[in-house]
Amino acid sequence: MSSDTLDAFLSPWPPAPSSCPPARRVPAFAPLRVGPGRYRLRPVLRRRRTASGALALTAAVLAVAGGGQAAQAYRGASPPAAGPPPAAVRMVAAPVRIADAATVRLLRPGDRVDVVAAERAGPPRLVAAGARVARVPAPEQEAGAAGDGGALVVLSVPRDTARELVGAAATARLAVALC
């Protein structure tokens, strides 16, 4: 029996019109050998249990150590108001030219000084109280400075006080007093 006769015998009805492409032969291939599948699930479950345990432990630590704010935000409570920034952040380094260079040579980093502005038309006024000396440039670094007889000193002061120091230095001669 030929293949055409066999095809005519097996399909008694005329083929229905189809939008599918014609059938093709499947190439021969070797069978796939898959290892035992029952042992593959256990390592996955162990990893999931370990990951779940680590996640639960992390959540517990965060809840105890400082996750309170996040929990309040999650529950709808307003977070606590932010306080002022730490003191180290509010302090700035302000370079100030002091009228008496000999006085500046007495200063060392870490000393506390009061800065006084001496104006010609009025009494002296205190510009900065208890300012910490951050740096005193060496005299050889001062050689190229302006020839007004003053010396530079860098003070660590709050930002507002630094603005007052700059304003006072523009209109008056500044002096320091050791605290």
Side-chain angles (χ1 to χ4, degrees):
M1 202 181 225
S2 73
S3 67
D4 293 336
T5 311
L6 185 60
D7 288 340
F9 180 73
L10 293 176
S11 56
W13 295 286
S18 173
S19 61
C20 294
R24 295 187 183 171
R25 296 193 113 203
V26 177
F29 59 90
L32 297 175
R33 305 279 182 203
V34 179
R38 62 183 179 173
Y39 298 111
R40 290 186 175 192
L41 188 58
R42 286 185 183 158
V44 173
L45 290 177
R46 270 190 227 119
R47 275 186 253 139
R48 283 188 184 171
R49 278 185 279 193
T50 305
S52 299
L55 188 60
L57 181 64
T58 303
V61 168
L62 287 176
V64 170
Q69 292 177 356
Q72 286 177 355
Y74 179 74
R75 289 185 205 120
S78 62
V89 174
R90 292 181 294 168
M91 303 299 273
V92 296
V96 178
R97 182 157 300 280
I98 304 299
D100 187 11
T103 305
V104 172
R105 284 194 291 271
L106 297 173
L107 300 176
R108 301 286 175 257
D111 288 346
R112 294 283 180 174
V113 294
D114 290 341
V115 181
V116 179
E119 297 175 351
R120 294 182 189 194
R125 66 182 174 94
L126 182 66
V127 180
R132 188 179 60 83
V133 176
R135 184 164 182 252
V136 180
E140 57 271 3
Q141 290 178 343
E142 283 291 316
D148 60 355
L152 188 69
V153 64
V154 180
L155 302 175
S156 179
V157 293
R159 189 176 299 274
D160 294 335
T161 305
R163 279 193 286 261
E164 291 179 31
L165 282 169
V166 170
T171 60
R173 294 175 56 95
L174 299 179
V176 293
L178 284 165
C179 297

